[in-house]
């Protein structure tokens, strides 16, 4: 087995453990590269059919290309899609910086969906290398009755044994991509031929390295127009993956405040 085979096997094991232990269970689908890889792994884990719904917490501010991709692949992959709206920004904590406040709409939208469908488990496509706060996560990460994350009180995960507490009101965030790196994601996309929103590839010297809402996401300068060219670019770049995310340039604690409150 090479390194991609090992990462794939670990993620498949995590997805099967989540399906065995947590019900009802749903997978977050943001339509970006990581969640598309995660969805692909779920199809592999369950013989081509995803046995739980996928959730899109919709801010109404995604790129048109992302909505077209969603509608196309819901049909192609025969997915059960759960759609949830987000509250207006005026209802969000005004002490947050502007971009973080806009992003926090998804926190409230996700909390509403978890409560509506009484979810015991939510699968999310975060990676440790993407952002420092996410590096503190567990693979199976409990969230309290108010959806908050207690970063200082997390269960140990020795020998791939994952704790799944069943206290009233608690749900588990499951992170099958936690050990993957950005370049692993792209190498796996290349190997497997995984479809993506084409905004990841260069147009007129610019491309999106990370996709979010239109008003808080910017492209980077890049000539990478194919998966192979993106991989080559990542081997030499010193720019952060989230350099185009506005909230990552705001106050240092803004992202951790979002994560503690239940952000994706």
């Amino acid at each position: 087995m090479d390194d991609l085979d090992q990462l794939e096997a670990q993620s498949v094991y995590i997805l099967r453990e989540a399906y065995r232990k947590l019900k009802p269970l749903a997978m977050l689908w943001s339509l970006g590269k990581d969640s598309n890889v995660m969805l692909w792994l779920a199809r592999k884990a369950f013989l081509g059919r995803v046995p739980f719904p996928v959730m899109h917490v919709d801010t109404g501010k995604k790129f048109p290309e992302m909505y077209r991709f969603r509608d196309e692949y819901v049909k192609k992959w025969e997915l059960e899609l759960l759609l949830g709206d987000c509250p207006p920004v005026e209802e969000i904590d005004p002490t947050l910086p502007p971009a973080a406040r806009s992003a926090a709409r998804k926190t409230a939208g996700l909390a509403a969906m978890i409560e509506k469908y009484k979810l015991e488990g939510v699968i999310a496509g975060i990676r440790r290398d993407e952002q420092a706060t996410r590096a503190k996560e567990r693979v199976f990460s409990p969230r309290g009755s108010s959806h908050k994350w207690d970063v200082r009180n997390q269960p140990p995960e020795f020998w791939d044994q994952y704790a799944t507490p069943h206290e009233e009101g608690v749900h588990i965030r499951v992170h099958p991509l936690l050990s993957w790196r950005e370049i692993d994601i792209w190498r796996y996309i290349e190997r497997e031929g995984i479809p993506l929103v084409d905004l990841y590839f260069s147009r007129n010297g610019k491309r999106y390295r990370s996709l979010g809402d239109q008003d808080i996401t910017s492209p980077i300068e890049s000539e990478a127009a194919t998966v192979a060219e993106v991989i080559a670019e990542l081997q030499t770049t010193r720019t952060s993956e989230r350099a185009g995310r506005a909230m990552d340039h705001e106050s240092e604690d803004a992202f951790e405040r979002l994560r503690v409150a239940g952000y994706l």
Side-chain angles (χ1 to χ4, degrees):
M1 294 175 68
D2 65 16
D3 59 329
L4 289 183
D5 292 328
Q6 292 172 354
L7 287 169
E8 178 188 74
Q10 180 188 46
S11 297
V12 164
Y13 169 71
I14 291 165
L15 288 165
R16 288 174 175 165
E17 282 289 285
Y19 184 62
R20 182 174 70 88
K21 293 181 176 181
L22 302 169
K23 288 183 173 60
L25 177 69
M27 174 179 283
L28 286 166
W29 189 28
S30 70
L31 314 171
K33 64 184 188 303
D34 298 315
S35 63
N36 285 344
V37 164
M38 185 170 65
L39 191 51
W40 188 271
L41 288 163
R43 295 175 72 235
K44 279 200 166 188
F46 300 103
L47 306 179
R49 177 184 171 275
V50 180
F52 39 74
V54 297
M55 296 196 307
H56 183 202
V57 185
D58 189 10
T59 60
K61 293 186 175 184
K62 299 297 184 186
F63 293 89
E65 293 90 338
M66 298 174 76
Y67 290 115
R68 287 197 293 270
F69 184 94
R70 180 192 71 189
D71 295 343
E72 179 182 355
Y73 281 92
V74 162
K75 294 177 181 177
K76 281 189 176 180
W77 290 343
E78 299 180 339
L79 303 173
E80 179 187 353
L81 176 65
L82 305 179
L83 283 175
D85 296 324
C86 300
V89 73
E90 291 78 17
E91 296 181 14
I92 303 302
D93 182 358
T95 67
L96 286 168
R101 190 181 183 196
S102 180
R105 295 175 61 220
K106 291 168 65 178
T107 304
L110 174 58
M113 292 189 77
I114 290 170
E115 291 169 8
K116 178 179 179 180
Y117 296 105
K118 296 180 172 54
L119 296 175
E120 194 171 82
V122 176
I123 304 169
I126 69 165
R127 306 189 328 269
R128 286 195 180 101
D129 77 323
E130 187 180 7
Q131 208 280 338
T133 301
R134 286 174 170 164
K136 302 174 184 178
E137 283 278 12
R138 296 288 192 264
V139 176
F140 278 55
S141 179
R143 296 302 201 266
S145 56
S146 60
H147 305 279
K148 289 189 175 182
W149 174 42
D150 186 352
V151 66
R152 294 176 179 84
N153 183 26
Q154 298 187 84
E157 293 184 331
F158 301 124
W159 308 291
D160 292 338
Q161 299 297 307
Y162 303 122
T164 53
H166 286 73
E167 291 89 348
E168 182 70 25
V170 171
H171 74 276
I172 306 296
R173 301 281 177 93
V174 182
H175 304 128
L177 301 182
L178 208 55
S179 297
W180 294 58
R181 302 169 301 159
E182 182 185 12
I183 197 165
D184 299 326
I185 292 290
W186 280 102
R187 289 172 57 225
Y188 192 72
I189 288 167
E190 181 180 50
R191 189 182 87 172
E192 300 287 312
I194 300 172
L196 293 177
V197 178
D198 62 7
L199 293 170
Y200 282 111
F201 304 107
S202 180
R203 298 177 183 174
N204 302 316
K206 291 189 175 182
R207 73 177 186 89
Y208 287 87
R209 192 167 164 192
S210 178
L211 287 178
D213 288 353
Q214 293 185 64
D215 59 340
I216 55 174
T217 311
S218 302
I220 62 166
E221 293 185 4
S222 173
E223 297 296 335
T226 66
V227 174
E229 289 172 355
V230 169
I231 292 169
E233 180 180 87
L234 292 178
Q235 290 171 335
T236 59
T237 187
R238 294 182 177 272
T239 305
S240 164
E241 178 180 0
R242 294 179 61 90
R245 295 288 189 119
M247 69 177 177
D248 286 57
H249 301 282
E250 294 178 330
S251 62
E252 291 183 9
D253 70 337
F255 195 92
E256 182 148 354
R257 286 174 62 190
L258 289 179
R259 294 286 298 160
V260 167
Y263 187 69
L264 313 185

